[in-house]
């Protein structure tokens, strides 16, 4: 649940380290987000999953100093334009949100991020919505931390996530 810290916004959520114990060339993170009609209709929302992706040269550095990329997918509803949609984070340069194409109907959405040999591919409900390369030493990386969070522009609301599953791929 996101309770505003003041009259106009708040970020709230949960984070956890993953059980991944070494960088690899292949891994996957899967979860589900329940997209409700309330989330689609409300005045301003962000419901997102953030993965801290680290490389072998700086694996598990303190204060996330070794993060090579933030792999992020989110559902958002813009108050100013009254538009809803999905976005991915483009971490090139200073970074920017990029709209991606996925359904806006209420339901449970499977969210998956797959890393294979230097390329991260992001899926929403089985459809590829974004892909890019992460430059790390020898194409090795690991999702070391997951953050599930929401941002509210006003009243509180509930967001339901399935506990993310993180695993190596063969």
């Amino acid at each position: 649940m996101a309770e505003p810290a003041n009259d106009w916004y708040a970020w709230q959520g949960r984070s956890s380290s993953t059980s991944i114990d070494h960088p690899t060339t292949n891994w996957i993170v899967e979860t589900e987000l329940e997209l409700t009609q309330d989330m689609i209709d409300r005045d301003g929302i962000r419901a997102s999953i953030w993965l801290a992706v680290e490389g072998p040269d700086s694996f598990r550095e303190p204060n996330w100093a070794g993060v090579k990329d933030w792999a992020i997918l989110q559902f958002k509803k813009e108050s100013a334009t009254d538009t809803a949609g999905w976005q991915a984070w483009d971490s090139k340069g200073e970074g920017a949100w990029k709209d991606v194409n996925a359904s806006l109907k209420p339901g449970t959405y499977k969210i998956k991020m797959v890393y294979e040999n230097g390329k991260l591919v992001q899926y929403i409900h089985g459809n590829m919505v974004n892909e890019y390369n992460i430059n790390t030493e020898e194409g090795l990386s690991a999702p070391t931390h997951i953050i599930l969070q929401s941002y509210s522009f006003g009243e509180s609301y509930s967001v339901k996530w399935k506990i993310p599953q993180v695993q190596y791929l063969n």
Side-chain angles (χ1 to χ4, degrees):
M1 177 169 331
E3 292 283 342
N6 61 35
D7 290 339
W8 64 280
Y9 79 92
W11 274 110
Q12 294 200 9
R14 299 281 185 256
S15 67
S16 178
S17 294
T18 68
S19 61
I20 296 286
D21 60 2
H22 65 276
T24 181
T25 56
N26 301 301
W27 51 261
I28 185 171
V29 175
E30 295 179 282
T31 188
E32 293 179 357
L33 170 67
E34 184 180 332
L35 183 59
T36 65
Q37 191 65 50
D38 179 58
M39 293 169 68
I40 296 166
D41 292 342
R42 78 176 342 277
D43 185 22
I45 187 175
R46 299 242 189 298
S48 56
I49 179 171
W50 299 46
L51 302 183
V53 180
E54 296 187 33
D57 56 337
S58 56
F59 188 67
R60 301 252 186 221
E61 293 258 333
N63 301 317
W64 298 347
V67 172
K68 301 291 185 188
D69 183 66
W70 284 100
I72 307 171
L73 284 173
Q74 75 173 359
F75 172 78
K76 57 97 180 178
K77 172 75 181 285
E78 295 289 342
S79 299
T81 60
D82 195 36
T83 57
W86 294 89
Q87 293 181 315
W89 180 250
D90 181 352
S91 56
K92 292 181 200 119
E94 292 185 25
W97 290 109
K98 162 176 140 174
D99 292 338
V100 297
N101 209 3
S103 174
L104 297 175
K105 294 180 181 176
T108 301
Y109 285 79
K110 293 180 186 212
I111 295 175
K112 178 168 65 170
M113 297 190 209
V114 179
Y115 179 83
E116 292 187 270
N117 301 312
K119 181 179 279 191
L120 184 85
V121 183
Q122 296 171 311
Y123 298 86
I124 298 174
H125 222 43
N127 298 309
M128 184 188 77
V129 296
N130 192 37
E131 67 179 336
Y132 60 94
N133 293 319
I134 299 175
N135 296 321
T136 64
E137 185 178 313
E138 299 175 18
L140 299 171
S141 77
T144 58
H145 207 83
I146 298 175
I147 304 169
L148 300 175
Q149 63 184 351
S150 298
Y151 183 93
S152 175
F153 296 89
E155 297 176 14
S156 66
Y157 61 96
S158 295
V159 176
K160 293 181 184 175
W161 288 95
K162 182 177 180 182
I163 295 172
Q165 301 298 309
V166 181
Q167 59 188 339
Y168 293 111
L169 293 175
N170 295 328

